[in-house]
Amino acid sequence: MTATSKSRYRVGLSALLLSPQGGTYRQAGIHSYIQGVLSNLPAEHPAVGYTALVAAGAADFGAALRRRNVSSATRRPLVRILWEQFVQPLVCNYERFDLLHAMAFVAPLLAALPTVVTIYDLTFQKLPQNFRAANRAYLGLFARLSCRRAARVIAISHSTKRDVVQAYGIADNRVDVIYPGLRAGMQRVEPRAVADFREQRGLPARFILYLGTIEPRKNLSVLVAAYKKAQPKDVKLVCAGGEGWMYSDVFRAVAELQLSRDVLFPGFVPEAELPLWYSAAEAFVYPSAYEGFGLPVLEALACGTPVITTTAGSLVEVAGRAALLCPPDDAPALADAIVRVISDAALREQLAAAGPLQAQRFCWPEAGKRTHATHLRALQM
């Protein structure tokens, strides 16, 4: 098949993990990537026409791409899996797709057309103890098979690409790295608005922020231990975000260290408030032991918030030289970094200036352009 053998190709975009309107921050990683790519693919192109397959009620992706809604029941994991594997191939035939882009890990194995698969990370293999056995088994088998039969694979960082190539035995030149971009409006908020927000939310005058899913695989036990060791005077730790798998273990760690008055859990953070949370924080700490990318780090950098994160996975790629980096699982090193940032105003200013410059490297129009180029390469195979 060549790009000149047909006047216009039909490409299906399997995007069932696009969150519903008002979805939780817990879904934001994959949701944001799918939404960002869909919003930046060419709606009108002489060689390619796109159709996004989304669950009814999914968030708007702000583009003129053709949209086909499927049952909202596919929001239930088991229903979605069955639909993807057994119904989606029929939809591909009906729509006469020439290529299907599975935008989250797994393509339908019965599909009789070329596929592209996006892989965000291999957490289910790297940290299997933090996944339900059924989820781990499903992703471990179907992601591997999907990648091996795909015409092209997209990884969202070089770290993820290395993991995929090594774990699945895929040729390096079949995997394209396409970074996420930055949400619109993700920038530092002016001080008056931050002060009003702090008062409305009853936030402490000084606090360190973690923002992401509340679950052990984000290494929050290490963050809590580091905070305890640092013992920053009059500086609280705020862990914001939706509750994930085994979230109660995090609350238990806080209680055991007698930090319930100092570690705050405000819960779900609406997307519109994210710049306010980042701008109000003294520092942003993201202690993850493994990441395929790490969008919260990018967002905090863009808002000029001093960032402390780890050398795990892709986080070095995201942070560059604009953050303090610690080895994962090293609570004493993380404690030292926290003390340095909250006690050194000059260091905070240095990091605050470097962050937005680093964040400018990641933009959605470039991600859309590169994804479109991957589709063209897959169609030529």
Side-chain angles (χ1 to χ4, degrees):
M1 183 186 296
T2 65
T4 58
S5 64
K6 187 172 181 178
S7 60
R8 198 162 192 245
Y9 288 98
R10 299 183 182 211
V11 176
L13 303 159
S14 183
L16 297 189
L17 288 185
L18 188 68
S19 298
Q21 298 283 1
T24 66
Y25 186 83
R26 185 173 167 241
Q27 298 170 304
I30 293 177
H31 164 82
S32 293
Y33 192 92
I34 292 174
Q35 187 176 46
V37 169
L38 293 182
S39 300
N40 287 279
L41 288 170
E44 297 293 334
H45 190 275
V48 176
Y50 288 110
T51 297
L53 306 177
V54 298
D60 181 27
F61 41 84
L65 302 185
R66 179 169 174 261
R67 173 177 178 141
R68 173 167 177 158
N69 290 334
V70 304
S71 171
S72 59
T74 55
R75 299 209 178 282
R76 299 199 298 270
L78 180 58
V79 175
R80 186 188 73 247
I81 290 169
L82 293 173
W83 190 94
E84 287 175 339
Q85 292 301 315
F86 298 106
V87 180
Q88 192 167 218
L90 301 178
V91 173
C92 290
N93 289 338
Y94 178 83
E95 293 283 350
R96 300 172 64 189
F97 289 152
D98 299 291
L99 177 73
L100 177 68
H101 180 174
M103 302 189 76
F105 296 104
V106 174
L109 302 184
L110 298 178
L113 78 168
T115 58
V116 171
V117 180
T118 298
I119 302 293
Y120 298 87
D121 57 54
L122 295 187
T123 309
F124 49 89
Q125 289 191 199
K126 296 284 188 176
L127 301 172
Q129 69 277 12
N130 292 323
F131 276 77
R132 293 181 177 91
N135 291 1
R136 186 172 67 244
Y138 167 70
L139 287 171
L141 175 61
F142 279 74
R144 177 187 298 272
L145 294 174
S146 297
C147 287
R148 285 185 171 177
R149 72 183 299 271
R152 308 289 306 175
V153 176
I154 293 173
I156 67 168
S157 66
H158 286 281
S159 172
T160 295
K161 176 176 178 175
R162 288 191 297 270
D163 290 342
V164 168
V165 168
Q166 181 179 3
Y168 298 155
I170 297 172
D172 183 271
N173 61 9
R174 283 181 54 211
V175 184
D176 300 324
V177 175
I178 303 178
Y179 284 130
L182 191 65
R183 301 171 194 260
M186 196 61 62
Q187 60 189 17
R188 191 151 194 87
V189 179
E190 59 93 13
R192 182 66 247 175
V194 173
D196 291 343
F197 176 73
R198 190 189 304 274
E199 183 176 354
Q200 292 167 6
R201 285 286 188 168
L203 294 174
R206 300 181 71 191
F207 67 91
I208 302 162
L209 176 68
Y210 163 85
L211 203 155
T213 310
I214 306 301
E215 59 187 2
R217 75 184 183 92
K218 294 297 185 180
N219 238 16
L220 288 179
S221 61
V222 173
L223 173 56
V224 172
Y227 176 78
K228 175 72 171 181
K229 182 175 178 59
Q231 294 185 324
K233 185 178 180 180
D234 299 325
V235 180
K236 304 292 186 181
L237 172 60
V238 175
C239 296
E243 296 172 347
W245 171 237
M246 297 170 62
Y247 68 89
S248 60
D249 290 359
V250 178
F251 298 142
R252 188 178 303 112
V254 171
E256 289 174 353
L257 291 174
Q258 299 181 331
L259 291 172
S260 298
R261 292 185 178 181
D262 297 307
V263 181
L264 312 177
F265 293 93
F268 165 66
V269 171
E271 183 176 323
E273 290 185 2
L274 290 174
L276 287 160
W277 284 92
Y278 290 123
S279 299
E282 192 95 353
F284 178 74
V285 185
Y286 201 70
S288 183
Y290 177 75
E291 288 291 330
F293 186 77
L295 277 173
V297 169
L298 178 62
E299 293 169 351
L301 290 170
C303 291
T305 306
V307 171
I308 303 168
T309 188
T310 72
T311 56
S314 65
L315 293 170
V316 175
E317 297 176 55
V318 182
R321 298 183 178 181
L324 294 187
L325 302 176
C326 304
D329 301 317
D330 191 337
L334 184 57
D336 289 344
I338 290 172
V339 171
R340 283 184 61 195
V341 170
I342 64 176
S343 62
D344 188 337
L347 176 59
R348 290 198 301 276
E349 290 180 8
Q350 175 188 331
L351 294 173
L357 296 177
Q358 173 68 9
Q360 289 176 7
R361 297 179 57 236
F362 304 91
C363 63
W364 283 121
E366 182 67 14
K369 177 182 177 181
R370 288 177 176 271
T371 302
H372 177 65
T374 292
H375 296 155
L376 294 181
R377 283 195 290 273
L379 287 164
Q380 290 171 348
M381 295 183 68

